[in-house]
């Protein structure tokens, strides 16, 4: 059985939650062969794998969103026939999109993205869209914005997809579209697992950015909605990690009969006999397992820690995870620490979490955006209480879902709220009994609902279910 | 004429009869003024008694020398001037005056090189085949160089904005030349042919130097970026080619007559010509040239304004405004084209009838008069081709403009090869055919460009770098672990 898996901007180039999850699944499904289609922003990271490939991975196929327009010499100019033009019109207008027509078009030999985007047919479609919906804008800006919008999509659509028994996308967006291409071309089923909600994450990003304004932000948002709708329509199952994410999927138009939740998991046994805290260690240790990148909002964490340390002087913060992904941000964090003149903060770099977690009294995660963080699950498996911001599935993990009466296994705080985060640290630092209660509750919850064995078994069943295109 | 439009617009903006007349004179002066001045000067020299008295062979030699110098200087300078004109116009628009002098230097070197390439072999032919004296060859060469440089420096006339001084320098130089002829003939007893040749050489060398002096004085600062003109030449190869083909087409019918007609003569073994046909051509050219003046005025004042408005709307206007300005530009182009065709036909009929009456009275009759009608129609169409080519230059038609040039050149060449042996009245039909080919090509090309203007304006360039790979497409990089696995299994 061969599964083609589609990932964007993570595995196997970036260490993190989604990448670890993929690696876990690949290692657990030894009897299944995998081809990984990985989308990168450009060729800079090409071949720089951060994980050791399990034997059941046959190929990694790298494609690039910002790539050159690769064509053969002595070719005919790419032009759209009337039928093809109609397909592109539907795509750009976002109405009754004929994805099969689009995918078949990009399967043709020697397609030039330049020719399409700069061609007369595409121009006419954009002009019609402009006249119909945006006649007040500066036309040239509009035209170039639409061209920029579809450039990465068309680049991705040119990528040849491997034939497989089942296609599994780990997000919507470009990875989802490429999986859909395989699904349409080879008539094989497609599964979607969303760790975060890609469309919402992009929407939040676009709202904040300043490189585009006004209606162009709407265009970008609508564009990502269009990409999501493609895979929501053709996927056999749409999986989310937690209930809240599922609700958003439904809001985004995913058919109700397709959705299901399969939570993240950890191997609980691996956290049973981990090394505990040194009895002579007088510090209250706070652990943060994360990549030092802006989305984790490490600066707020440092700020809150500085505030908490003023009340609990023996607090110590361990920031565990790679610092090389965004060196500038790491430098800013160090500058922040120097600015606050706060002591007892240690960046450990990439470590074996199991060696450190036992020594912690609590863990913390101050992310701006999350799916269902593996680090919280690991913390719970290690019986450590956790402070986490109210993003993604964190609340469900720490406070339990609808059918869960196991109690709280940590404290949920608002995003970027320094005072509340500091208060939570102080509360846990001062109350050892509370820490133990929450740790105990967390371990029980992980054992009950978030076991890797369960996750891999479920995916195995799913793969079997859709084996041979059934 | 770089930047002529700015000045014409300023002049035609002023109301009143005198302003309009002055603007008309100005337009005439900068478009065909130097030609007229030279024609007048030559005719005055030809009227000198010693010239009238010399042998016909000597007259033929001088006429042929002057003809060759003018024809080949124009063939040489014109393609370079067209690109320089665009460069200078761009620099004026950008107000980057420091770059202009650097281009003067680069262009001068180019002209000098081309003068050498064309002039030295011909000079050798004059010496070894024609057995002409070295001083005569030297005079011809320097006259050729002086005229080529004059044509080149005239591109800057409108940038200098010292029209009066330039006009006087032209006149003054020719007066100096004339005085030189008179003194050398009457005082020193020089041969009139040699005196006129050296007089012309002196005049044009002087004009070129005075123009260069004005240019140098106007552009004190120069940024030393001499190579920039080459990048323009690289980008504007199609302009050069189109212009070169047009200029070759302009003379190729003469060349055919020089070599294949019954009117051909050979002077001093090297100057091949057909004076009868050349004279008829010259008259046809002069009688139609007024249209060019009208066209330049109309293009630079009306069409340019509409074109500029359209370009500006593309940069920052809503779709409906772009459509409006585009429509206005197309309408202006259509109206002006029809207008120029009408004017050309009317002018041609008037001039033709007048010529038929006047020419016999001034001694032009016989074969020349028989050849004139067809050539006059040919020139009428030919100038229309030139007008339409200017539109194609505006529309940045990199394929169309050279194609039109080619249609004109090839049509004229082939047509004249057929008509050269026909009776004199039909001799010029080759030019009529070639010009009609050029006109048809230009007409349909402009029509095509206007229909597909959006594609041309918005579809130029590339949104992302294109990489041509002879191998299988590399939009994906595949890392295969299957082989390694198989290897591991076999062990």
């Amino acid at each position: 059985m061969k599964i083609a898996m589609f990932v964007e901007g993570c595995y196997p180039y970036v260490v993190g939650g989604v990448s670890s999850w993929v690696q876990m699944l690949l290692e657990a499904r030894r009897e299944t062969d995998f081809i990984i289609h990985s989308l990168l922003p450009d060729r800079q990271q090409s071949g720089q794998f951060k994980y050791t490939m399990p034997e059941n991975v046959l190929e990694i196929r790298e494609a690039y969103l910002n790539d050159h327009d690769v064509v053969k010499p002595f070719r005919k100019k790419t032009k759209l026939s009337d039928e093809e033009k109609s397909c592109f019109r539907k795509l750009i207008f976002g109405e009754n999109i004929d994805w099969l027509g689009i995918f078949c078009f990009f399967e043709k030999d020697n397609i030039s993205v330049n020719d399409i985007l700069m061609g007369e047919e595409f121009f006419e479609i954009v002009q019609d869209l402009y006249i119909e919906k945006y006649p007040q804008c500066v036309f040239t800006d509009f035209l170039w914005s639409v061209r920029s919008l579809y450039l990465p999509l068309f680049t991705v659509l040119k990528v040849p997809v491997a034939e497989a028994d089942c296609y599994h996308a780990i997000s919507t967006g470009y990875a989802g579209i490429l999986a859909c291409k395989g699904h349409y071309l080879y008539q094989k089923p497609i599964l979607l697992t969303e760790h975060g909600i890609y469309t919402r994450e992009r929407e939040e990003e676009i709202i904040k950015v300043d490189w585009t304004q006004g209606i162009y932000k709407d265009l970008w948002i609508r564009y990502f909605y269009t990409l999501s709708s493609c895979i929501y329509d053709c996927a056999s199952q749409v999986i989310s990690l937690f209930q809240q994410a599922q609700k958003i999927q439904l809001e985004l138009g995913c058919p109700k009969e397709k959705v299901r939740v399969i939570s993240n998991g950890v191997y609980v046994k691996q956290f049973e006999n981990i090394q505990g805290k040194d009895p002579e260690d007088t510090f209250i240790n706070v652990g943060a397992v994360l990549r030092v990148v802006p989305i984790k909002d490490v600066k707020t964490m440092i700020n809150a820690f500085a505030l908490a340390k003023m009340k609990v002087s023996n607090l110590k913060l361990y920031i565990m995870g790679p610092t090389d992904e965004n060196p500038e941000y790491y430098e800013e964090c160090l500058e922040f620490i120097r600015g606050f003149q706060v002591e007892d903060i240690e960046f450990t770099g990439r470590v074996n979490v199991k060696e450190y977690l036992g020594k912690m009294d609590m863990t913390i995660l101050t992310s701006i955006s999350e799916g269902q963080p593996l680090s919280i699950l690991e913390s719970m498996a290690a019986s450590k209480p956790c402070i986490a911001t109210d993003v993604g599935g964190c609340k469900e993990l720490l406070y339990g879902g609808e059918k869960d009466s196991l109690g709280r296994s940590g404290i949920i705080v608002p995003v970027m709220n320094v005072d509340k985060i500091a208060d939570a640290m102080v509360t846990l630092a001062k109350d050892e009994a509370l820490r133990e209660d929450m740790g105990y509750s967390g371990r029980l919850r992980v054992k009950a609902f978030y076991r890797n064995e369960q996750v891999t078994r479920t995916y195995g069943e799913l793969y079997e279910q859709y084996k041979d295109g059934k | 004429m770089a930047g002529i439009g700015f000045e014409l617009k300023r002049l035609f903006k002023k109301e009143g009869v005198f302003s309009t007349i002055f603007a008309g004179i100005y337009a005439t002066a900068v478009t065909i003024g130097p030609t007229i001045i030279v024609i007048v000067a030559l005719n005055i020299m030809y009227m000198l008694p010693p010239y009238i008295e010399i042998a016909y062979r000597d007259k033929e030699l001088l006429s042929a020398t002057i003809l060759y110098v003018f024809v080949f200087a124009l063939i040489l300078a014109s393609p370079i001037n067209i690109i320089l004109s665009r460069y200078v116009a761009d620099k004026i628009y950008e107000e980057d005056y420091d770059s202009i002098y650097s281009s003067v230097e680069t262009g001068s070197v180019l002209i000098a090189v081309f003068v050498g390439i064309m002039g030295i072999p011909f000079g050798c032919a004059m010496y070894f085949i024609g057995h002409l004296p070295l001083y005569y060859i030297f005079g011809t060469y320097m006259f050729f160089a002086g005229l080529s440089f004059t044509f080149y420096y005239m591109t800057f006339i409108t940038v200098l904005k010292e029209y009066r001084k330039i006009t006087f320098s032209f006149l003054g130089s020719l007066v100096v030349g004339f005085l030189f002829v008179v003194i050398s003939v009457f005082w020193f007893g020089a041969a009139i042919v040699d005196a006129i040749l050296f007089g012309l050489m002196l005049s044009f060398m002087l004009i070129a130097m005075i123009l260069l002096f004005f240019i140098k004085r106007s552009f004190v600062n120069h940024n030393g970026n001499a190579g920039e003109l080459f990048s323009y030449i690289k980008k504007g190869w199609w302009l050069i080619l189109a212009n070169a083909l047009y200029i070759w087409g302009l003379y190729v019918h003469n060349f055919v007559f020089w070599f294949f007609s019954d009117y051909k003569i050979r002077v001093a073994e090297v100057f091949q010509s057909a004076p009868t046909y050349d004279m008829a051509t010259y008259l046809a050219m002069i009688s139609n040239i007024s249209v060019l003046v009208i066209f330049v005025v109309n293009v630079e004042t009306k069409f340019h304004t509409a074109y500029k408005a359209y370009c500006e709307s593309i940069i920052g206007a809503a779709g409906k405004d772009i459509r409006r300005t585009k429509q206005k530009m197309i309408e202006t182009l259509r109206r002006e084209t029809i207008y120029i065709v009408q004017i050309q036909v009317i002018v041609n009929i008037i001039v033709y009838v007048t010529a038929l009456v006047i020419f016999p009275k001034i001694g032009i009759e016989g074969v020349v008069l028989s050849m004139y009608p067809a050539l006059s129609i040919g020139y009428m169409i030919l100038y229309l081709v030139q007008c339409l080519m200017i539109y194609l230059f505006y529309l940045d038609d990199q394929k169309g403009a050279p194609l039109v040039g080619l249609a004109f050149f090839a049509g004229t060449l082939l047509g004249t090869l057929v008509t050269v042996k026909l009776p004199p009245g039909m001799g010029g039909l080759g030019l009529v055919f070639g010009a009609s080919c050029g006109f048809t090509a230009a007409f349909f090309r402009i029509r095509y460009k206007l229909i597909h203007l959006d594609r041309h304006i918005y579809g130029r360039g590339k949104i992302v770098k294109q990489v041509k790979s002879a191998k299988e497409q590399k939009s994906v990089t595949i890392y295969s672990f299957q082989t390694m696995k198989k290897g591991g299994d076999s062990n």
Side-chain angles (χ1 to χ4, degrees):
Chain A
M1 183 180 184
K2 198 195 284 177
I3 304 291
M5 189 177 269
F6 299 81
V7 283
E8 183 182 326
C10 53
Y11 188 79
Y13 308 92
V14 178
V15 177
V18 181
S19 295
S20 303
W21 181 89
V22 172
Q23 181 76 358
M24 175 275 294
L25 190 63
L26 297 177
E27 284 175 349
R29 305 297 318 160
R30 295 271 172 185
E31 66 283 11
T32 309
D33 285 338
F34 285 90
I35 291 173
I36 311 291
H37 278 273
S38 190
L39 290 171
L40 288 172
D42 50 47
R43 290 177 185 259
Q44 275 185 355
Q45 279 181 289
S46 179
Q48 295 173 22
F49 306 148
K50 296 278 164 61
Y51 290 86
T52 309
M53 284 304 118
E55 282 191 354
N56 52 334
V57 174
L58 306 180
E59 277 175 13
I60 290 189
R61 292 184 167 219
E62 269 177 10
Y64 319 94
L65 294 175
N66 303 313
D67 202 18
H68 303 316
D69 184 22
V70 186
V71 289
K72 288 179 196 165
F74 314 112
R75 63 191 182 87
K76 266 174 77 179
K77 202 170 181 181
T78 309
K79 286 196 164 189
L80 305 182
S81 67
D82 288 346
E83 204 177 319
E84 288 160 351
K85 191 178 167 187
S86 161
C87 287
F88 277 84
R89 176 180 290 275
K90 286 175 186 167
L91 171 69
I92 288 152
F93 275 73
E95 294 161 0
N96 306 317
I97 303 168
D98 175 9
W99 284 107
L100 182 60
I102 296 285
F103 293 135
C104 287
F105 174 81
F106 280 97
E107 268 300 281
K108 290 201 296 190
D109 192 32
N110 232 347
I111 293 286
S112 161
V113 173
N114 262 319
D115 287 356
I116 302 167
L117 290 170
M118 302 304 288
E120 201 166 11
E121 298 88 6
F122 189 84
F123 172 81
E124 284 167 6
I125 298 168
V126 178
Q127 195 177 38
D128 291 346
L129 177 71
Y130 171 83
I131 292 169
E132 195 177 307
K133 296 187 176 169
Y134 307 97
Q136 303 306 322
C137 304
V138 172
F139 176 71
T140 310
D141 291 351
F142 181 82
L143 173 67
W144 282 99
S145 296
V146 178
R147 279 173 175 162
S148 315
L149 201 65
Y150 286 94
L151 175 62
L153 177 64
F154 292 174
T155 306
V156 166
L157 283 169
K158 267 179 75 176
V159 172
V161 179
E163 192 169 358
D165 300 311
C166 180
Y167 294 94
H168 188 179
I170 313 301
S171 70
T172 61
Y174 300 108
I177 284 292
L178 208 52
C180 290
K181 185 178 173 184
H183 159 77
Y184 273 105
L185 294 180
Y186 301 111
Q187 295 295 307
K188 293 292 162 71
I190 185 168
L191 302 173
L192 168 65
T193 302
E194 279 200 279
H195 284 248
I197 302 296
Y198 185 94
T199 318
R200 278 290 154 87
E201 287 167 0
R202 297 294 82 76
E203 188 173 358
E204 283 162 13
E205 274 173 16
I206 290 161
I207 289 167
K208 284 178 204 161
V209 295
D210 53 10
W211 51 261
T212 184
Q213 294 297 330
I215 65 117
Y216 301 111
K217 288 195 172 188
D218 297 341
L219 276 179
W220 274 100
I221 292 166
R222 200 170 63 86
Y223 166 79
F224 283 114
Y225 273 67
T226 306
L227 299 191
S228 302
S229 70
C230 176
I231 193 162
Y232 284 155
D233 287 344
C234 63
S236 300
Q237 295 221 5
V238 177
I239 300 148
S240 55
L241 300 187
F242 49 97
Q243 292 295 337
Q244 187 57 31
Q246 190 183 70
K247 274 185 195 168
I248 301 170
Q249 286 173 334
L250 292 170
E251 278 172 23
L252 292 172
C254 182
K256 200 176 177 183
E257 64 277 8
K258 291 184 181 179
V259 295
R260 76 179 281 187
V261 173
I262 301 177
S263 300
N264 258 346
V266 285
Y267 291 110
V268 182
K269 277 189 181 170
Q270 290 182 358
F271 293 86
E272 264 173 9
N273 297 312
I274 55 173
Q275 194 185 346
K277 193 177 174 183
D278 186 346
E280 288 178 19
D281 185 353
T282 53
F283 281 108
I284 302 287
N285 296 327
V286 184
V289 182
L290 45 80
R291 291 172 292 125
V292 183
V293 290
I295 201 166
K296 303 294 179 187
D297 199 9
V298 184
K299 286 181 186 172
T300 295
M301 185 189 293
I302 293 167
N303 200 342
F305 175 78
L307 202 62
K309 197 166 169 64
M310 289 165 80
K311 292 174 185 167
V312 184
S313 59
N314 63 338
L315 273 180
K316 184 165 183 176
L317 177 63
Y318 289 90
I319 299 174
M320 296 170 266
T323 55
D324 55 353
E325 199 178 314
N326 190 336
E328 286 158 24
Y329 186 72
Y330 173 56
E331 273 307 313
E332 282 170 29
C333 290
L334 294 178
E335 190 58 43
F336 220 62
I337 293 168
R338 283 192 287 270
F340 278 112
Q341 294 183 324
V342 58
E343 289 176 346
D344 299 323
I345 298 180
E346 189 179 328
F347 286 92
T348 63
R350 200 179 171 188
V351 291
N352 183 353
V353 177
K354 291 175 205 90
E355 287 174 14
Y356 271 80
L357 262 183
K359 298 170 190 168
M360 300 298 128
D361 293 291
M362 65 184 99
T363 61
I364 185 165
L365 195 66
T366 52
S367 299
I368 293 165
S369 175
E370 279 293 351
Q372 192 177 47
L374 212 57
S375 63
I376 294 185
L377 286 173
E378 287 172 340
S379 166
M380 287 160 72
S383 305
K384 303 296 172 189
C386 182
I387 299 162
T389 40
D390 191 6
V391 288
C394 296
K395 196 171 189 176
E396 202 174 305
L397 283 179
L398 295 181
Y399 291 176
E402 288 166 9
K403 295 170 190 170
D404 177 348
S405 55
L406 294 170
R408 297 187 172 189
S409 46
I411 300 172
I412 290 292
V413 288
V415 175
M416 296 180 83
N417 192 322
V418 176
D419 290 336
K420 291 272 168 64
I421 298 168
D423 285 349
M425 272 194 249
V426 171
T427 306
L428 285 177
K430 284 183 174 172
D431 193 340
E432 192 179 348
L434 182 65
R435 292 203 301 266
E436 279 178 6
D437 285 349
M438 286 183 163
Y440 180 72
S441 172
R443 186 164 173 84
L444 283 181
R445 180 168 290 123
V446 168
K447 272 184 163 178
F449 302 109
Y450 303 103
R451 300 182 73 119
N452 250 350
E453 297 85 349
Q454 203 177 318
V455 175
T456 54
R457 193 172 55 244
T458 314
Y459 274 100
E461 286 164 7
L462 270 177
Y463 289 156
E464 282 298 321
Q465 187 185 337
Y466 293 104
K467 189 179 167 184
D468 301 328
K470 289 170 192 167
Chain B
M1 299 283 163
I4 182 180
F6 305 117
E7 193 59 23
L8 282 174
K9 253 179 264 173
R10 191 180 66 78
L11 292 170
F12 277 92
K13 240 183 192 172
K14 291 179 185 170
E15 290 186 5
V17 180
F18 287 107
S19 296
T20 311
I21 292 170
F22 178 71
I25 293 169
Y26 169 79
T28 313
V30 291
T31 46
I32 56 170
T35 318
I36 292 169
I37 293 173
V38 172
I39 290 165
V40 171
L42 267 176
N43 281 301
I44 294 171
M45 287 182 191
Y46 287 165
M47 279 188 277
L48 287 171
Y51 183 82
I52 300 164
E53 289 161 14
I54 58 164
Y56 189 71
R57 280 170 65 90
D58 290 341
K59 283 185 187 171
E60 271 186 337
L61 175 64
L62 182 64
S63 298
T65 308
I66 294 170
L67 176 74
Y68 268 54
V69 166
F70 268 89
V71 168
F72 290 101
L74 200 67
I75 287 177
L76 183 150
S78 191
I80 299 173
N81 281 359
I82 190 106
I83 202 76
L84 186 83
S85 180
R86 180 165 278 209
Y87 177 82
V88 172
D90 284 355
K91 293 298 157 190
I92 295 169
Y93 182 75
E94 292 165 16
E95 297 185 359
D96 177 14
Y97 299 107
D98 293 355
S99 294
I100 292 177
Y101 190 75
S102 304
S103 73
V104 176
E105 286 176 336
T106 317
S108 301
V109 172
L110 274 179
I111 293 283
V113 169
F114 284 114
V115 163
I117 290 171
M118 287 172 84
I120 293 171
F122 195 78
C124 291
M126 283 170 82
Y127 184 74
F128 292 110
I129 302 167
H131 304 294
L132 289 164
L134 269 176
Y135 73 86
Y136 190 86
I137 298 168
F138 172 76
T140 311
Y141 186 85
M142 293 310 284
F143 177 22
F144 178 51
L147 191 63
S148 301
F149 278 108
T150 301
F151 282 148
Y152 176 65
Y153 294 141
M154 273 167 65
T155 314
F156 298 90
I157 285 178
T158 43
V159 189
L160 299 172
K161 293 192 193 306
E162 293 185 270
Y163 314 102
R164 207 170 295 169
K165 282 183 188 169
I166 290 162
T167 313
F168 281 119
S169 69
F170 243 90
L171 278 170
S173 302
L174 286 163
V175 168
V176 169
F178 181 74
L179 290 175
F180 173 84
V181 174
V182 172
I183 293 166
S184 54
V185 171
F186 293 102
W187 206 315
F188 294 103
I192 182 76
V193 171
D194 301 341
I196 292 179
L197 178 69
F198 278 86
L200 285 168
M201 180 202 88
L202 184 68
S203 298
F204 283 99
M205 295 300 275
L206 260 177
I207 295 169
M209 280 193 284
I210 292 169
L211 286 174
L212 185 62
F213 169 75
F214 282 135
I215 294 166
K216 264 195 153 178
R217 206 183 55 178
S218 298
F219 306 108
V220 182
N221 299 321
H222 52 98
N223 59 12
N225 189 8
E228 202 185 353
L229 186 65
F230 286 109
S231 68
Y232 259 69
I233 292 172
K234 202 178 162 191
K235 270 193 292 184
W237 63 270
W238 60 277
L239 266 175
I240 297 171
L241 182 63
N243 191 271
L245 284 164
Y246 174 77
I247 291 290
W248 296 340
L250 201 62
Y251 292 109
V252 75
H253 59 110
N254 293 89
F255 299 159
V256 172
F257 267 81
W258 290 1
F259 287 96
F260 303 108
S261 74
D262 297 336
Y263 313 102
K264 69 180 177 192
I265 59 159
R266 184 174 290 179
V267 180
E269 294 300 316
V270 282
F271 294 106
Q272 193 79 28
S273 67
T276 324
Y277 187 80
D278 294 341
M279 173 59 96
T281 308
Y282 169 72
L283 294 171
M285 182 194 80
I286 291 293
S287 54
N288 280 282
I289 209 160
S290 59
V291 173
L292 261 192
V293 180
I294 299 166
F295 180 76
V296 168
V297 170
N298 282 0
V299 163
E300 295 292 355
T301 53
K302 294 174 187 167
F303 179 73
H304 182 82
T305 310
Y307 175 79
K308 203 175 156 200
Y310 172 60
C311 292
E312 280 169 358
S313 71
I314 288 168
I315 298 167
K320 64 176 188 318
D321 294 324
I322 298 176
R323 284 193 294 280
R324 186 175 50 76
T325 52
K326 179 182 161 189
Q327 210 46 50
K328 196 174 175 190
M329 183 190 74
I330 293 172
E331 180 54 35
T332 310
L333 191 151
R334 195 186 63 82
R335 196 179 55 235
E336 292 308 316
T337 308
I338 293 170
Y339 174 71
I340 206 72
V341 172
Q342 286 170 344
I343 289 283
Q344 181 73 304
V345 171
I346 295 165
V347 167
N348 196 266
I349 291 168
I350 295 168
V351 169
Y352 177 66
V353 172
T354 316
L356 286 182
V357 176
I358 293 174
F359 284 179
K361 289 183 182 167
I362 58 169
I364 300 167
E365 47 196 345
V367 178
V368 175
L369 199 60
S370 314
M371 285 175 170
Y372 172 76
L375 283 170
S376 182
I377 294 167
Y379 263 88
M380 178 186 86
I381 306 169
L382 178 155
Y383 282 135
L384 288 175
V385 174
Q386 191 178 346
C387 298
L388 295 186
M389 272 182 91
I390 292 173
Y391 283 135
L392 287 174
F393 291 163
Y394 263 105
L395 298 173
D396 203 36
D397 189 1
Q398 304 195 3
K399 274 186 197 161
L403 268 174
V404 170
L406 183 66
F408 170 54
F409 169 73
T412 308
L413 175 64
L414 296 174
T416 313
L417 282 171
V418 174
T419 59
V420 69
K421 293 291 179 191
L422 297 178
M426 297 166 85
L429 288 181
L431 177 67
V432 175
F433 174 73
S436 303
C437 290
F439 182 79
T440 313
F443 176 81
F444 283 104
R445 192 65 203 179
I446 287 179
R447 193 168 167 269
Y448 174 83
K449 280 314 269 190
L450 291 179
I451 291 169
H452 299 277
L453 192 59
D454 289 333
R455 181 177 69 186
H456 179 70
I457 298 287
Y458 298 103
R460 268 188 300 186
K462 290 185 167 48
I463 191 166
V464 61
K465 190 182 169 189
Q466 198 163 58
V467 175
K468 287 185 179 165
S469 163
K471 294 174 191 170
E472 200 52 35
Q473 284 198 358
K474 285 179 181 169
S475 53
V476 63
T477 309
I478 301 175
Y479 295 93
S480 181
F481 304 102
Q482 218 165 5
T483 338
M484 287 190 281
K485 221 167 83 171
K486 275 179 188 165
D489 288 341
S490 64
N491 289 332

